[in-house]
Amino acid sequence: MKPIRLDGRSLTRAQLVAVAHGAAVELAVDQLPAVQRAADFLAEQARREEPIYGVNTGFGSNADKLLGAHRLRDQLPGAQPEAETLHEELQRNLIVTHAVCVGEPFAPEVVRAMLCIRINTLMRGHSGIRVEILQALTALLNAGVVPVVPQLGSVGASGDLAPLSHLAIVLLGGGEAFLQGERLPGGEALVRAGLQPVKLSYKEGLALNNGTAQMLATGVLALAQLEALVETADLAAAMTIDAFAGRLGAFAEEVHALRPHPGQVETAANLRRLLEGSTLSDIAYHLVPRFRQWQPESWDTPTAQQLRFDIGWDWVPFSQRHGREKFYQRFRPFRGGKKHQPQDSYSLRCIPQVHGAVRDALAQAARVLDIELNALTDNPIVFPDAKAEHVEQQVISAGHFHGMPLALSMSYVKAAIPVLASISERRLNKLVDSATNDGLPGFLIGNEDGTESGFMIVQYTAAAIVNDLASRAMPASVYSIPTSANAEDHVSMGANEARHVLAMADDLGKVLALELYTAAQALDLRRDMINAARSLASRANAEGLAAKIQGGPPGGTSDRTDFLDEVEGLRVELADSEPFHPGNAVARAHAAIRERIPFLPRDRALDGEVAIAVRLVKEGVALAAARG
């Protein structure tokens, strides 16, 4: 793959994801003079002894301390002269004292994304960093040296100080880094990669650790995952709709034109695509039989006897049709698996409104992240070519390091994740509950002998994850804790917010995998039960089909002939139908699942299959199959 060109202005989320997963980067040569111009300007101002924050002052609440011409501690008895200048010491100390994060290290792709973001923002030419430091950062990234960055330590202003210091300390030959999967001292990793440590000059430590790279990297990687997962949620929902022989009117284009939230319109259109070609959805009520437990006498041929279920309907007596005559002119008087009602439950009917609102939350986050990717986020900001009377008009302290734009957008996404997981779990629960699954077996298993649990506990696992996601959805951004002796008296906590979102996205994928796993079982049962009814209708007469119908009048009564005429109408309609099947995209995804996980005719260990289902979602296999 061609290296990603970094110029400080055109980095995209897709490019960042590519770098996170191994793509190399290169510096835009035409932007390097602007980078060096700002560095040269700061060096000149330092020689003039102009007081500039972070150049010849302390940091944070130490900003009122000006650097002297020499070290006072050199006058201590026995003091040894030091090779580095006070300015160099200031920048080095900033990095080594701020690299204090704790916890498990971030995954390599997160750290690579952080490095890429930091290089890109410094390429804007307003940070005062020398070109050679950017070249060293680029070499570090391209050599596969991945600094060890523990996950806990940023408050999201002044940016991600502590995590970014863990990035920079390796550049100085300190800290730790991974190289080819091995965890090494930072200096040794540099040597093995053929790189040399650097010395920092004016403001360069501040430029390296003052910014939003951790929250931005985790946010972008989380969003890439979530954009695939919301599409996966549509797929899982579509498979569930087909398994319910659901109604499609709620997804009609003209319906959503009347409430045109973008995500809602997109979700409805996607469901229509996924369910295109289905002959299960919108099927007439009376054609759908309900499950009955298999018995040795259930079927009339050896082939049919291999089925793992029996089927049946209830007949609606003539005496119960008064006031409903018009309805029974359109629909035959047989009650099977589908209730005679014009609308499905909210977890099916309101998929566009719920999934669509999640899409809109992701779109808002994408807008914020796209801006931040090419924004300057350190402090102070250097304008070397500005006409100014005083240096303060050319080196301006501002607050671009403050992560609140990202924090609030991540709070929105954080709230959306358990919403998507929750509606998925509700569909899963509806599938396994015989009181709500429209005629499918309880827990989607035959259970003739009362010994089988089927998919019962799959729903428990989904419920546990949904509860965990909901309990983690509290926005971190609403709880600022001041730092730096109250010099930094309002912070964003955006790093925690984005880190939570990245972890929660992974758990959302598990819930969607459980729905797909369960929906595939339900879809097999629904399709096979309706096609078993069709097959019976094709080979039997009205009396043969009537054996599957309860409540019919006994032989020898005046109503028996009329009853059999109605059964014959049902038989002919079933026999004349083509084999019933799900939507084309749903069928492809179902086949991809069945290549790896067989139908469950009897209880067996499910842990390995659940792990496979989770992988199918994480690796995008089911989604790719649906896309064709």
Side-chain angles (χ1 to χ4, degrees):
M1 180 180 179
K2 188 177 178 181
I4 304 298
R5 181 176 178 270
L6 301 180
D7 60 7
R9 289 174 171 79
S10 59
L11 180 62
T12 67
R13 285 182 287 124
Q15 288 175 326
L16 184 66
V17 172
V19 173
H21 291 96
V25 301
E26 63 182 12
L27 303 178
V29 176
D30 56 350
Q31 183 60 18
L32 295 181
V35 172
Q36 190 61 46
R37 169 81 180 104
D40 293 342
F41 170 80
L42 284 185
E44 176 61 25
Q45 298 308 310
R47 281 192 289 272
R48 293 179 181 179
E49 298 183 353
E50 291 281 1
I52 300 173
Y53 173 75
V55 175
N56 46 24
T57 75
F59 304 109
S61 60
N62 287 326
D64 60 342
K65 294 182 174 15
L66 291 172
L67 271 64
H70 55 78
R71 292 180 178 82
L72 288 177
R73 64 176 178 267
D74 286 349
Q75 300 173 35
L76 289 171
Q80 298 294 319
E82 299 185 37
E84 65 182 353
T85 68
L86 277 175
H87 296 93
E88 291 171 339
E89 181 183 329
L90 176 71
Q91 302 302 320
R92 176 180 58 79
N93 282 351
L94 178 70
I95 298 301
V96 300
T97 62
H98 283 47
V100 291
C101 290
V102 297
E104 290 298 309
F106 275 113
E109 56 268 23
V110 174
V111 180
R112 287 182 58 84
M114 290 170 65
L115 280 167
C116 180
I117 290 165
R118 204 74 219 120
I119 297 167
N120 190 62
T121 190
L122 296 173
M123 284 291 288
R124 289 299 299 263
H126 291 278
S127 299
I129 196 167
R130 291 170 295 163
V131 168
E132 64 194 73
I133 302 300
L134 281 183
Q135 291 169 333
L137 271 177
T138 303
L140 190 78
L141 177 59
N142 288 342
V145 177
V146 179
V148 172
V149 182
Q151 295 188 23
L152 300 174
S154 174
V155 296
S158 297
D160 298 317
L161 286 171
L164 289 175
S165 296
H166 282 276
L167 285 186
I169 199 170
V170 174
L171 201 63
L172 306 184
E176 292 184 293
F178 293 104
L179 183 63
Q180 297 177 339
E182 186 179 356
R183 187 168 179 168
L184 302 166
E188 185 177 342
L190 290 181
V191 170
R192 289 199 193 181
L195 304 175
Q196 295 293 322
V198 302
K199 277 193 172 185
L200 301 179
S201 186
Y202 307 108
K203 193 187 170 285
E204 288 181 336
L206 197 57
L208 288 170
N209 76 359
N210 211 227
T212 59
Q214 180 197 317
M215 61 186 97
L216 182 55
T218 47
V220 169
L221 293 175
L223 195 64
Q225 195 172 342
L226 288 166
E227 286 172 339
L229 286 176
V230 75
E231 197 173 344
T232 303
D234 289 351
L235 172 60
M239 192 175 292
T240 296
I241 290 165
D242 260 340
F244 272 107
R247 300 158 182 85
L248 303 185
F251 314 134
E253 184 175 5
E254 63 271 23
V255 168
H256 294 280
L258 298 175
R259 195 197 192 200
H261 293 293
Q264 179 178 320
V265 170
E266 183 181 348
T267 301
N270 196 32
L271 289 172
R272 294 195 300 271
R273 287 191 293 269
L274 291 165
L275 291 162
E276 185 178 0
S278 172
T279 57
L280 290 172
S281 295
D282 280 340
I283 190 173
Y285 302 101
H286 54 264
L287 296 180
V288 183
R290 71 170 179 271
F291 168 83
R292 286 182 181 154
Q293 284 191 339
W294 180 92
Q295 299 293 332
E297 65 276 8
S298 289
W299 297 100
D300 57 350
T301 68
T303 300
Q305 198 66 3
Q306 300 302 310
L307 295 171
R308 49 202 168 264
F309 51 77
D310 195 1
I311 58 173
W313 291 264
D314 288 327
W315 179 65
V316 182
F318 297 113
S319 61
Q320 295 181 16
R321 303 184 198 176
H322 55 85
R324 306 178 182 90
E325 291 82 3
K326 193 168 185 179
F327 178 87
Y328 287 111
Q329 289 171 10
R330 181 180 174 194
F331 299 104
R332 302 187 189 279
F334 302 98
R335 291 175 179 156
K338 292 296 290 181
K339 293 184 177 69
H340 290 166
Q341 62 184 33
Q343 57 188 27
D344 289 318
S345 64
Y346 285 8
S347 63
L348 300 179
R349 186 174 15 133
C350 299
I351 293 164
Q353 290 78 8
V354 177
H355 290 202
V358 173
R359 273 190 163 87
D360 288 341
L362 299 183
Q364 166 62 9
R367 185 190 69 79
V368 172
L369 297 178
D370 286 342
I371 293 171
E372 193 78 0
L373 274 173
N374 295 289
L376 188 86
T377 59
D378 64 321
N379 178 68
I381 303 170
V382 182
F383 296 93
D385 299 320
K387 295 185 187 297
E389 185 177 351
H390 302 291
V391 72
E392 290 85 357
Q393 296 168 305
Q394 292 175 289
V395 184
I396 302 175
S397 288
H400 285 358
F401 49 71
H402 204 293
M404 194 53 76
L406 283 75
L408 285 179
S409 70
M410 288 294 105
S411 296
Y412 190 6
V413 172
K414 197 174 177 184
I417 289 173
V419 168
L420 198 59
S422 175
I423 196 171
S424 173
E425 182 276 331
R426 287 294 82 197
R427 291 190 296 261
L428 192 166
N429 182 74
K430 188 174 169 64
L431 285 169
V432 300
D433 185 353
S434 59
T436 61
N437 66 11
D438 289 357
L440 294 173
F443 306 120
L444 305 178
I445 197 79
N447 201 23
E448 299 86 5
D449 298 305
T451 62
E452 296 176 307
S453 296
F455 282 69
M456 178 194 295
I457 307 300
V458 174
Q459 184 264 333
Y460 285 46
T461 300
I465 298 172
V466 170
N467 174 266
D468 186 65
L469 287 170
S471 67
R472 292 153 67 190
M474 163 75 178
S477 57
V478 302
Y479 190 44
S480 171
I481 301 177
T483 54
S484 192
N486 277 310
E488 299 162 5
D489 56 356
H490 187 276
V491 299
S492 75
M493 297 298 177
N496 283 344
E497 205 77 279
R499 179 175 55 82
H500 294 164
V501 168
L502 185 60
M504 290 168 71
D506 196 54
D507 287 340
L508 169 62
K510 296 180 177 74
V511 176
L512 298 177
L514 293 173
E515 183 187 0
L516 276 169
Y517 178 46
T518 306
Q521 176 84 359
L523 180 57
D524 279 328
L525 287 164
R526 180 74 71 192
R527 179 200 60 205
D528 292 353
M529 286 166 57
I530 298 177
N531 282 327
R534 175 182 170 276
S535 179
L536 176 62
S538 299
R539 67 177 183 272
N541 57 20
E543 286 284 4
L545 187 60
K548 300 295 183 186
I549 299 171
Q550 293 182 342
T557 63
S558 58
D559 288 343
R560 182 69 181 182
T561 300
D562 292 336
F563 164 71
L564 288 176
D565 285 345
E566 291 182 335
V567 173
E568 175 63 11
L570 175 63
R571 188 199 70 78
V572 169
E573 188 174 353
L574 280 166
D576 288 349
S577 299
E578 294 294 321
F580 293 93
H581 55 80
N584 300 329
V586 169
R588 291 193 296 270
H590 179 269
I593 294 169
R594 284 288 169 258
E595 284 177 12
R596 297 158 179 85
I597 304 173
F599 178 83
L600 184 72
R602 298 285 178 264
D603 270 3
R604 61 176 180 249
L606 302 184
D607 56 337
E609 296 178 4
V610 167
I612 292 170
V614 169
R615 266 201 318 277
L616 291 179
V617 168
K618 191 173 185 67
E619 297 170 4
V621 174
L623 191 56
R627 290 168 174 166

